[in-house]
Amino acid sequence: MSMAVVGLLAGMALGFAGYFGGFGAFLLVAALGAVGFVVGRVLDGDLAPGDLLRPRDRGDRGDRGDRGDRRPR
């Protein structure tokens, strides 16, 4: 199934939830869809469970290992 079809189905589900159930149902369907997306990515092997909990590297932010200590010596 292509990503366009998946997006179409997700949009239709959110549209029906918003129309028939109101804004609260829309948010519930969107949140459960996001959880299902993450679980599907983990089961496919595209995402490791630790990737969501592990902090990112700080190497791209110019961190030189001094932890922000800028006092003159």
Side-chain angles (χ1 to χ4, degrees):
M1 186 178 301
S2 72
M3 291 304 291
V5 173
V6 172
L8 174 68
L9 293 175
M12 288 175 61
L14 288 172
F16 280 121
Y19 182 76
F20 292 111
F23 188 67
F26 174 81
L27 290 179
L28 179 66
V29 170
L32 292 176
V35 169
F37 176 75
V38 170
V39 168
R41 295 290 300 256
V42 168
L43 292 177
D44 281 343
D46 295 336
L47 183 67
D51 291 345
L52 300 173
L53 305 173
R54 191 175 318 130
R56 296 182 186 193
D57 283 342
R58 295 184 178 197
D60 294 339
R61 293 176 40 195
D63 187 14
R64 296 184 307 251
D66 59 3
R67 301 284 184 243
D69 189 13
R70 303 280 188 246
R71 291 179 292 170
R73 295 181 184 198

